[in-house]
């Protein structure tokens, strides 16, 4: 692995933690007799700096809700999850809590002792217990990123580190990755000055990473990418094009305004609509979505059975 | 006040809370015999959407550390602080805690009861106690924003609501406000497509708000703006130009790389360098900075004495 080009952050947070995660993980054979399944869930948006000494950047809207929620269901389904997430976005097991849970859920008694407010006590206790249990048992490894540069280098590192799992590895690429960026060499060194009128910017396209992931980094893994559009008329067409062009196993198509209610899973043979169904007590669209993906992943593993130990 | 153009978020979070803050605040005469001092601290960066159904936006780098830290020292100095901050940035009294204090500082006992880890217990208890005490006593009102549109409308509302305080109001404008934006009418409705090669964007300048704040919204208030540059050679010149052009009372000049160690306060008669001094047990550059500003604010109040009740 080429470590020379990785950032300091990646080396510190990424490589050592990934290695020790795999070293400490239970042996690959699990209770079902098959090899252990690992999913890399990417979550949140990446940033693109506009200046080398960065004051301004372009960001992609993404709360990380999809990735955090999906991570919970993957853990419940017995997967070991590598949660590659944008710093500050939603965390698994914490989505029912307010933005700033420490200040909003606790109260101070006599100016020193603290206590969870009654209305939050169940949610707070469950969040901490379930999160710590998942980490402790080796079902959850959290790795943070901010820029597109960090994101892509860490993704490559994870893909190469899990390539020995063959078809048992899944990539669930829910992060909102920048399409455009300013190449480092052509970036202004100092803060762009505002005195001289309107600003004209030319942004280059970020090289497409999905073909490299498919062909070089993780050729046998089960790959799921996401397509988000605001215009429903072009969504399915673009999702299908991405499936074929990048040889994904599935593309999850979602529209900005309805993405928490419904998604369409596009495969080479069918389009499957997955809906949240309040009446049947299903809280999240991610619950039936992950059930569907886990089943299809089993099929993927069986049809690549030379890799099952 | 023109409420028609305010966003729903501003109406809900802003107006009602500001009104009730002032209604519940103690009478203006305080223990020093003078009128109560109020400071509006702005903190964190503003975003500029690039699409109406926003997927991408330009953001300004700002952790909100300066604003959160300064708020603590203003509260200690007896000010009522309106903390107008970017969602998700540093909060007053919480800066010694990790990014995600709920998950990192607590542990779960027997799968349900939770407890602060010993190493964090003092910091967590102090943060919650001091924060809640400041809010309860009417010394701290927190109002969040995300976009430049929310920021400017809330700032106007605060300035108009505090104009009856005359020189006793201070504005400490530490937020990193966008210089460039895409006007709403010329914004793409849908997500910008990446298929057609590099992206050319023309960004317009955000109208300068400081002259309006000075001349119309808060003509008698003590106004402090900030100038951040990465190039030290142009910093003081630009700070001085802003002081004169926008008729600020002071401009705090800071350079990106040294901003936690040293700032230069530029006034019409002098440039005052303020340094963090570890040897004298001074933890933050904000400690001596706020001391300096509080003294100058007293002078400002005295020279505008017709407003002191």
């Amino acid at each position: 692995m080429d470590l020379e080009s990785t950032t300091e952050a990646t080396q510190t947070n990424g490589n050592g933690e990934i290695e020790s995660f795999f070293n400490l993980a239970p042996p690959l054979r699990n209770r079902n007799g098959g090899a252990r399944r690992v999913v890399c869930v990417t979550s949140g948006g990446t940033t693109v700096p506009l200046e080398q000494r960065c004051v301004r950047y372009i960001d992609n809207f993404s709360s990380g809700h999809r990735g955090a929620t999906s991570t919970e269901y993957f853990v419940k389904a017995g997967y070991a999850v590598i949660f590659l997430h944008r710093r500050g976005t939603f965390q698994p097991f914490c989505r029912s809590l307010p933005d700033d849970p420490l200040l909003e859920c606790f109260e101070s008694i006599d100016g020193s002792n603290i206590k969870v407010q009654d209305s939050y006590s169940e949610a707070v206790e469950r969040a901490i217990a379930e999160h710590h249990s998942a980490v402790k048992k080796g079902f959850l490894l959290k790795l943070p990123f901010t820029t597109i540069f960090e994101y892509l280098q860490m993704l490559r590192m994870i893909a190469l580190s899990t390539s020995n799992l063959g078809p048992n590895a899944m990539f669930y690429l829910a992060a909102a990755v920048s399409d455009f960026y300013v190449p480092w060499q052509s970036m202004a060194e100092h803060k762009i000055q505002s005195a001289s009128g309107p600003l004209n910017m030319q942004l280059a396209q970020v090289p497409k990473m999905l073909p490299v992931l498919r062909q070089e980094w993780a050729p046998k893994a089960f790959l799921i990418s996401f397509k988000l559009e605001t215009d429903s008329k072009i969504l399915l067409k673009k999702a299908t094009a991405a499936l074929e062009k990048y040889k994904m196993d599935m593309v999850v198509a979602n529209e900005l305004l309805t993405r928490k209610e419904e998604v369409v899973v596009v495969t080479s043979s069918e389009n499957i609509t997955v809906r949240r169904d309040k009446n049947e007590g299903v809280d999240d669209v991610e619950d039936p979505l992950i059930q569907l993906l886990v089943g299809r992943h089993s099929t993927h593993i069986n049809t690549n059975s030379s890799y099952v130990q």
Side-chain angles (χ1 to χ4, degrees), chain A:
Chain A
M1 198 183 313
D2 174 21
L3 273 178
E4 280 189 18
S5 61
T6 56
T7 62
E8 193 183 58
T10 328
Q11 285 182 31
T12 312
N13 300 332
N15 201 34
E17 276 189 78
I18 294 172
E19 288 303 327
S20 92
F21 178 76
F22 286 111
N23 291 339
L24 293 173
L28 283 182
R29 284 188 174 278
N30 72 3
R31 55 192 169 283
N32 300 325
R36 180 145 193 212
R37 296 187 186 184
V38 174
V39 60
C40 173
V41 173
T42 71
S43 188
T46 63
T47 69
V48 165
L50 297 180
E51 296 129 338
Q52 283 190 9
R53 300 190 194 180
C54 180
V55 176
R56 300 189 186 88
Y57 52 88
I58 296 184
D59 205 342
N60 269 32
F61 162 78
S62 176
S63 67
H65 193 274
R66 175 87 75 210
T69 309
S70 302
T71 293
E72 295 179 26
Y73 288 110
F74 277 122
V75 167
K76 280 178 192 159
Y79 279 70
V81 183
I82 300 173
F83 181 61
L84 181 61
H85 66 283
R86 167 70 177 277
R87 278 187 185 81
T89 53
F90 272 110
Q91 295 298 298
F93 307 109
C94 295
R95 64 210 153 86
S96 61
L97 300 175
D99 279 356
D100 198 342
L102 190 75
L103 295 179
E104 293 181 49
C105 301
F106 288 80
E107 56 194 357
S108 177
I109 305 163
D110 310 327
S112 69
N113 288 317
I114 56 163
K115 149 176 195 306
V116 193
Q117 291 170 35
D118 290 340
S119 55
Y120 288 116
S121 74
E122 200 191 319
V124 166
E125 281 162 15
R126 205 178 52 227
I128 294 173
E130 292 190 5
H131 181 274
H132 287 204
S133 162
V135 171
K136 207 169 165 186
K137 292 177 181 162
F139 285 101
L140 178 58
L141 174 70
K142 303 204 300 179
L143 298 173
F145 64 83
T146 301
T147 68
I148 179 103
F149 304 111
E150 290 172 343
Y151 170 79
L152 288 179
Q153 289 176 89
M154 293 172 85
L155 183 69
R156 180 180 61 171
M157 209 179 286
I158 293 165
L160 296 174
S161 307
T162 55
S163 62
N164 65 324
L165 298 175
N168 289 298
M170 186 198 296
F171 285 79
Y172 180 87
L173 304 164
V177 181
S178 314
D179 297 311
F180 299 105
Y181 81 123
V182 184
W184 192 255
Q185 311 90 297
S186 64
M187 216 180 270
E189 183 187 351
H190 289 294
K191 185 182 172 189
I192 298 164
Q193 294 299 318
S194 65
S196 33
L199 176 67
N200 287 296
M201 280 198 308
Q202 192 177 49
L203 300 171
Q205 281 191 271
V206 173
K208 295 293 181 194
M209 165 276 304
L210 293 180
V212 188
L213 180 65
R214 171 85 293 166
Q215 288 157 34
E216 296 178 24
W217 299 345
K220 297 295 175 192
F222 191 58
L223 300 187
I224 299 144
S225 71
F226 282 69
K227 182 60 81 179
L228 171 74
E229 292 292 341
T230 61
D231 185 350
S232 60
K233 291 191 287 293
I234 61 172
L235 176 60
L236 284 183
K237 204 175 136 196
K238 292 199 61 129
T240 308
L243 184 86
E244 290 166 5
K245 189 169 176 190
Y246 305 127
K247 302 199 179 355
M248 296 290 104
D249 294 291
M250 292 175 151
V251 176
V252 179
N254 50 147
E255 201 194 321
L256 189 63
L257 293 177
T258 60
R259 69 195 189 285
K260 291 189 178 173
E261 300 298 323
E262 176 181 311
V263 297
V264 178
V265 178
V266 176
T267 76
S268 57
S269 58
E270 58 191 328
N271 292 351
I272 307 157
T273 301
V274 180
R275 282 194 194 87
R276 179 169 94 105
D277 185 350
K278 275 187 179 173
N279 296 331
E280 302 203 358
V282 178
D283 286 336
D284 312 294
V285 68
E286 287 82 3
D287 186 355
L289 174 64
I290 303 310
Q291 281 183 38
L292 172 71
L293 298 188
V294 168
R296 300 300 172 106
H297 190 200
S298 299
T299 310
H300 175 84
I301 293 170
N302 290 336
T303 56
N304 292 269
S305 56
S306 64
Y307 283 85
V308 180
Q309 294 169 358

